[in-house]
Amino acid sequence: MKHILNNHKKRGRNMKIYKLMLTLIMISTFYFAAVNTASAASFILGPEILIGSGQHPSIATSPVDGTMHAVYVRSGLRYRSYNPATGKLGPEELVTSGEAWWPQIAVSNDGDVHVVWEQSPFKTYIGYARRISGVWKSAGNLNPNSPYRAMMPRIDVDKNNRAHVVFWQNIIGGALPRGQYNRINKVGGSLVIELARDISGWDNNRIGDIVIDNNNIPHVFSGQISSIRHWTVSESGTFTVAASLQKPADRNIEKFMEGISVATGVGGGFYGFSKDAGSLEPKEVFQTSIGGPSKIVWNSPAIGNTLVATGSQAVKGRAFVIFADSNKKGRVAAVDADGSIIGPTLIASGSGNQHDGAERHSPGGVGVKGGGLYVVYQDDRSGTWQVYIRKIGTGNAPGPTVTPPPTVTPPPTVTPPPTVTPPPTVTPVPGTGPIIVSSPNGGETWVTGTTQTIRWTSSGVPGTDVKIELLKDGIRIMNIRSSVANTGSYSWTIPTSLPAGGNYKVKVKSTANSAYYDLSNNGFTISSSASSAPPSSSSPSITVVTPNGAETWAKGTTQTIRWTSSGVPGTDVKIELLKAGIRIMNIRSSVANTGSYSWTIPTSLTAGGNYKVKVRSTTNSAFADLSNNYFTIQ
């Protein structure tokens, strides 16, 4: 017994010595980490310059004199310039009084300012205007006589002062996305669309970008699941496939079909940025390049689309990206040619948000040519959206002063206790895990208007509820059910508004853990029948009747919103209130599509005469309408 106690005491002393060694190792590790941090580069934030009230800003820098040019949305599309050398703001100018979303801006070598915008995600209009000698001239709609709704335009200008524009299209009703390229020139003071080309091979892609390289060659990019596709464009408008920017080799990044941004890098290469568009969390922001280092820039949830710019001599070839974190705070980061990262740093301080929460929006933009690095961003700290410009420099931030750890005589060598190897982490593999879709699983033909049974099996504990989605060509086009009990089956009445075609799949995933999911192994077909489909002359639609313009409604009163619907746009609708073209509240997130809704107007609303109501289907957001003209709330 005494021998056993002595061994126990020795073992206790050995464990104390071992713990002391571990403590010394941790102190040393902290010390060296602090020393390395002391020389890390960081951003230096300059003063904020308020340029006006509005949202969705974009910025570009003049290659002539370094002047910053910005556009933003407020009752149409607004423009303003800022001269960093003098600190003076130019007067605010109206580019267009019509509806404008997602504006993008560029400045050519002749000093002209070029702007593109979409009217809304549900319309077929892409606007282009050019500021020539202080006067705005419009080229009209770049997507005329087209059944395709057009969105997310991007622009760059070449050395001949021509504008190059790309945007993506999606036919109303759900056909495959496709892309279009336009080249616009100034001839004798008039704007001429020289080229308009559909981009072959864009199918199944979404947001794209365009960059003019140092040799004056246009490069077009579009996001796919595992790469950013890449084409060069000849003077005659011929597209040639070029090297793609591949997805970083990180198992947590699934795909980047949305939110891509590309710009020229060091030595004529390209930097690409995107936000992970997969089903796993978080939605990381990452950087990729052709033949260069690729890495995650922000390994936490992010919202909205990324925007990118690269430097000229002023910023030494760094690529800059701006995005919003999950708290709606704007951040900016830089990536050097060797892959080292500066930031991401908050672009504003205080309680305001720089993002409005809409997935397709961005908190602002980056302009870097000529006058250094400037960001433009929106902020709601004052209760309304304001637009700011801010210069951001880089430098070596002093690190914390760290006192070296005291010199300690090392203890005698002690054999550590045996290491216990933890069991390997098992990552669920879709299609082999706790949820398996059994029907539809490929080859079936289901008719619109009929009720079919979606079936799946589950094992283990994937959760008590599941989400069911419908995909076409790998793209989610609707939620069949956002949440339903995990019983193994669900009866689904197929909407007659769905377009007939093949390559549909059903996806079932746990609402508790999105890593647990499965989808149909192969595509199935949805067909329409004469008995269930609406007449071809009467496509599903929604039309707002009241308020439709010129009405005056008092705060605190109850008013009736009215609309009509034809075809089968869905059993429920969402009703939104817009002010100056910007959504400010949901009147009802979901209400029965009865054609009317009684609304008690909140007394907290700001009195004004630029309100509209929007009614849209909760089943298919393509079916929507808003008031033709403004009404007044007083």
Side-chain angles (χ1 to χ4, degrees), residues 74-89:
R74 188 188 81 247
S75 300
L77 186 60
R78 309 280 168 162
Y79 159 84
R80 203 167 190 184
S81 63
Y82 171 69
N83 190 326
T86 63
K88 292 184 178 180
L89 284 166

Side-chain angles (χ1 to χ4, degrees), residues 154-156 164-166 181-182 208-212 218-221 233 262:
R154 296 288 178 87
I155 187 171
D156 201 359
H164 300 253
V165 177
V166 294
Y181 162 82
N182 290 77
D209 205 353
I210 186 162
V211 174
I212 310 298
H219 295 254
V220 172
F221 301 86
V233 187
V262 181

Side-chain angles (χ1 to χ4, degrees), residues 10-26 410-420:
K10 289 180 182 179
R11 185 176 301 165
R13 285 195 299 271
N14 288 346
M15 288 301 296
K16 289 179 179 178
I17 294 171
Y18 180 65
K19 290 179 179 178
L20 176 60
M21 291 180 66
L22 289 177
T23 301
L24 291 172
I25 291 171
M26 291 175 66
T413 303
V414 178
T415 303
T419 302
V420 179

Side-chain angles (χ1 to χ4, degrees), residues 505-588:
K505 289 186 178 183
V506 162
K507 181 176 183 179
V508 179
K509 68 176 179 180
S510 165
T511 59
N513 187 338
S514 59
Y516 298 134
Y517 71 90
D518 188 38
L519 65 160
S520 312
N521 288 345
N522 297 291
F524 69 97
T525 299
I526 290 179
S527 65
S528 61
S529 65
S531 59
S532 63
S536 58
S537 60
S538 178
S539 299
S541 66
I542 291 175
T543 303
V544 173
V545 178
T546 305
N548 208 32
E551 299 91 342
T552 298
W553 288 358
K555 293 186 287 186
T557 64
T558 300
Q559 303 290 340
T560 301
I561 299 169
R562 302 183 187 278
W563 67 94
T564 61
S565 60
S566 61
V568 188
T571 58
D572 298 294
V573 295
K574 181 178 184 179
I575 308 176
E576 302 171 341
L577 181 65
L578 288 73
K579 183 174 175 61
I582 300 172
R583 181 180 64 82
I584 61 170
M585 68 174 289
N586 289 332
I587 294 174
R588 280 298 298 269

Side-chain angles (χ1 to χ4, degrees), residues 267-287:
F270 296 95
Y271 287 101
F273 286 87
S274 185
K275 178 173 64 68
D276 184 8
S279 60
L280 299 178
E281 295 290 352
K283 304 298 188 188
E284 307 93 338
V285 175
F286 57 89
Q287 173 261 332

